[in-house]
Short mmCIF file of all heavy atoms in Angstrom, two decimals:
data_model
loop_
_atom_site.label_atom_id
_atom_site.label_comp_id
_atom_site.label_asym_id
_atom_site.label_seq_id
_atom_site.Cartn_x
_atom_site.Cartn_y
_atom_site.Cartn_z
N ASN E 393 -114.24 68.16 39.30
CA ASN E 393 -114.99 67.35 40.29
C ASN E 393 -116.28 67.93 40.89
O ASN E 393 -116.85 67.47 41.78
CB ASN E 393 -114.03 67.07 41.43
CG ASN E 393 -113.10 65.91 41.13
OD1 ASN E 393 -113.23 65.30 40.01
ND2 ASN E 393 -112.25 65.51 42.11
N ALA E 394 -116.81 69.06 40.15
CA ALA E 394 -117.94 69.74 40.49
C ALA E 394 -118.72 70.01 39.25
O ALA E 394 -119.37 71.10 39.13
CB ALA E 394 -117.60 70.99 41.32
N SER E 395 -118.70 69.25 38.15
CA SER E 395 -119.29 69.43 36.98
C SER E 395 -120.07 68.25 36.41
O SER E 395 -119.66 67.18 36.38
CB SER E 395 -118.24 69.80 35.91
OG SER E 395 -118.84 70.02 34.69
N SER E 396 -121.40 68.40 36.23
CA SER E 396 -122.15 67.48 35.49
C SER E 396 -122.03 67.76 34.01
O SER E 396 -122.45 68.94 33.45
CB SER E 396 -123.70 67.69 35.96
OG SER E 396 -123.82 67.31 37.18
N ASP E 397 -121.35 66.87 33.29
CA ASP E 397 -120.95 67.08 31.84
C ASP E 397 -121.09 65.84 31.11
O ASP E 397 -121.79 64.84 31.49
CB ASP E 397 -119.61 67.76 31.87
CG ASP E 397 -118.60 66.99 32.62
OD1 ASP E 397 -118.50 65.80 32.58
OD2 ASP E 397 -117.71 67.69 33.28
N SER E 398 -120.41 65.70 30.02
CA SER E 398 -120.54 64.51 29.03
C SER E 398 -120.10 63.27 29.75
O SER E 398 -120.49 62.18 29.20
CB SER E 398 -119.77 64.75 27.79
OG SER E 398 -120.45 65.70 26.98
N ARG E 399 -119.32 63.31 30.85
CA ARG E 399 -119.02 62.04 31.54
C ARG E 399 -120.24 61.50 32.17
O ARG E 399 -120.23 60.27 32.57
CB ARG E 399 -117.96 62.34 32.58
CG ARG E 399 -116.61 62.82 32.06
CD ARG E 399 -115.67 63.35 33.11
NE ARG E 399 -116.26 64.63 33.74
CZ ARG E 399 -115.79 65.15 34.83
NH1 ARG E 399 -114.69 64.66 35.48
NH2 ARG E 399 -116.31 66.23 35.27
N PHE E 400 -121.25 62.19 32.44
CA PHE E 400 -122.47 61.81 33.15
C PHE E 400 -123.52 61.55 32.16
O PHE E 400 -123.78 62.33 31.17
CB PHE E 400 -122.78 63.05 33.99
CG PHE E 400 -124.23 62.99 34.65
CD1 PHE E 400 -124.71 61.93 35.08
CD2 PHE E 400 -125.01 64.15 34.47
CE1 PHE E 400 -125.99 61.94 35.73
CE2 PHE E 400 -126.28 64.24 35.05
CZ PHE E 400 -126.81 63.15 35.71
N ALA E 401 -124.15 60.39 32.11
CA ALA E 401 -125.16 59.96 31.18
C ALA E 401 -126.38 60.90 31.16
O ALA E 401 -127.04 61.03 30.08
CB ALA E 401 -125.67 58.48 31.50
N GLY E 402 -126.61 61.67 32.17
CA GLY E 402 -127.76 62.69 32.09
C GLY E 402 -127.46 63.84 31.19
O GLY E 402 -128.33 64.51 30.75
N VAL E 403 -126.21 64.03 30.78
CA VAL E 403 -125.83 65.04 29.81
C VAL E 403 -125.36 64.20 28.59
O VAL E 403 -125.91 64.43 27.43
CB VAL E 403 -124.69 66.02 30.36
CG1 VAL E 403 -124.16 66.90 29.22
CG2 VAL E 403 -125.18 66.80 31.53
N GLY E 404 -124.23 63.45 28.70
CA GLY E 404 -123.74 62.74 27.64
C GLY E 404 -123.19 63.44 26.53
O GLY E 404 -122.83 64.59 26.68
N LEU E 405 -123.21 62.97 25.34
CA LEU E 405 -122.72 63.73 24.15
C LEU E 405 -123.70 64.86 23.81
O LEU E 405 -124.92 64.57 23.93
CB LEU E 405 -122.51 62.74 22.98
CG LEU E 405 -121.49 61.61 23.21
CD1 LEU E 405 -121.45 60.70 22.06
CD2 LEU E 405 -120.06 62.32 23.42
N VAL E 406 -123.18 65.91 23.41
CA VAL E 406 -123.97 67.05 23.03
C VAL E 406 -124.05 67.20 21.51
O VAL E 406 -123.09 67.28 20.90
CB VAL E 406 -123.41 68.38 23.60
CG1 VAL E 406 -124.21 69.56 23.19
CG2 VAL E 406 -123.36 68.28 25.20
N SER E 407 -125.38 67.17 21.04
CA SER E 407 -125.55 67.36 19.63
C SER E 407 -125.14 68.85 19.17
O SER E 407 -125.37 69.76 19.91
CB SER E 407 -126.94 67.15 19.28
OG SER E 407 -127.21 67.59 17.93
N GLU E 408 -124.42 68.98 18.14
CA GLU E 408 -123.98 70.25 17.58
C GLU E 408 -125.20 71.21 17.44
O GLU E 408 -125.26 72.44 17.54
CB GLU E 408 -123.28 70.32 16.34
CG GLU E 408 -121.82 69.73 16.50
CD GLU E 408 -120.99 69.61 15.22
OE1 GLU E 408 -121.48 70.17 14.28
OE2 GLU E 408 -119.91 69.01 15.25
N SER E 409 -126.47 70.66 17.09
CA SER E 409 -127.56 71.42 16.94
C SER E 409 -128.13 71.96 18.25
O SER E 409 -129.01 72.88 18.17
CB SER E 409 -128.75 70.51 16.21
OG SER E 409 -129.15 69.52 17.06
N ASP E 410 -127.71 71.47 19.34
CA ASP E 410 -128.13 71.97 20.64
C ASP E 410 -127.21 73.12 21.15
O ASP E 410 -127.54 73.73 22.17
CB ASP E 410 -128.19 70.82 21.77
CG ASP E 410 -129.31 69.88 21.45
OD1 ASP E 410 -130.33 70.27 20.84
OD2 ASP E 410 -129.07 68.70 21.97
N ILE E 411 -126.08 73.36 20.45
CA ILE E 411 -125.21 74.37 20.93
C ILE E 411 -125.70 75.73 20.38
O ILE E 411 -125.98 76.01 19.26
CB ILE E 411 -123.75 74.17 20.29
CG1 ILE E 411 -123.14 72.83 20.86
CG2 ILE E 411 -122.82 75.29 20.54
CD1 ILE E 411 -121.86 72.48 20.26
N MET E 412 -125.91 76.60 21.45
CA MET E 412 -126.39 77.96 21.18
C MET E 412 -125.32 78.83 20.66
O MET E 412 -125.63 79.94 20.07
CB MET E 412 -127.08 78.49 22.48
CG MET E 412 -128.26 77.68 22.87
SD MET E 412 -128.69 77.97 24.65
CE MET E 412 -129.27 79.55 24.56
N GLY E 413 -123.99 78.55 21.00
CA GLY E 413 -122.98 79.32 20.50
C GLY E 413 -121.78 79.33 21.49
O GLY E 413 -121.73 78.55 22.45
N LYS E 414 -120.74 80.04 21.01
CA LYS E 414 -119.53 80.07 21.66
C LYS E 414 -119.47 81.30 22.61
O LYS E 414 -119.79 82.40 22.20
CB LYS E 414 -118.40 80.03 20.73
CG LYS E 414 -116.95 80.13 21.34
CD LYS E 414 -115.88 80.37 20.28
CE LYS E 414 -114.45 80.59 20.92
NZ LYS E 414 -113.39 80.80 19.94
N ALA E 415 -118.94 81.14 23.90
CA ALA E 415 -118.77 82.24 24.74
C ALA E 415 -117.53 83.07 24.17
O ALA E 415 -116.37 82.53 24.13
CB ALA E 415 -118.54 81.91 26.16
N VAL E 416 -117.67 84.34 23.97
CA VAL E 416 -116.70 85.09 23.20
C VAL E 416 -116.25 86.29 24.20
O VAL E 416 -115.03 86.76 24.00
CB VAL E 416 -117.06 85.59 21.88
CG1 VAL E 416 -117.16 84.36 20.86
CG2 VAL E 416 -118.34 86.42 21.86
N PHE E 417 -117.14 86.78 24.98
CA PHE E 417 -116.86 87.95 25.74
C PHE E 417 -117.57 88.01 27.09
O PHE E 417 -118.77 87.58 27.16
CB PHE E 417 -117.30 89.25 24.93
CG PHE E 417 -116.68 90.50 25.36
CD1 PHE E 417 -115.41 90.90 24.93
CD2 PHE E 417 -117.40 91.43 26.16
CE1 PHE E 417 -114.83 92.02 25.41
CE2 PHE E 417 -116.80 92.64 26.66
CZ PHE E 417 -115.50 92.92 26.20
N ARG E 418 -116.87 88.44 28.17
CA ARG E 418 -117.44 88.55 29.54
C ARG E 418 -117.82 89.99 29.70
O ARG E 418 -116.93 90.88 29.64
CB ARG E 418 -116.45 88.02 30.64
CG ARG E 418 -117.07 88.21 32.02
CD ARG E 418 -116.20 87.58 33.04
NE ARG E 418 -114.89 87.23 32.60
CZ ARG E 418 -114.20 86.12 33.19
NH1 ARG E 418 -114.78 85.35 34.03
NH2 ARG E 418 -112.98 85.79 32.77
#
Side-chain angles (χ1 to χ4, degrees):
N393 281 1
S395 175
S396 295
D397 50 43
S398 288
R399 296 170 293 170
F400 164 50
V403 175
L405 296 173
V406 176
S407 170
E408 289 184 10
S409 63
D410 289 336
I411 295 176
M412 299 161 66
K414 175 185 176 182
V416 293
F417 197 81
R418 180 173 11 213

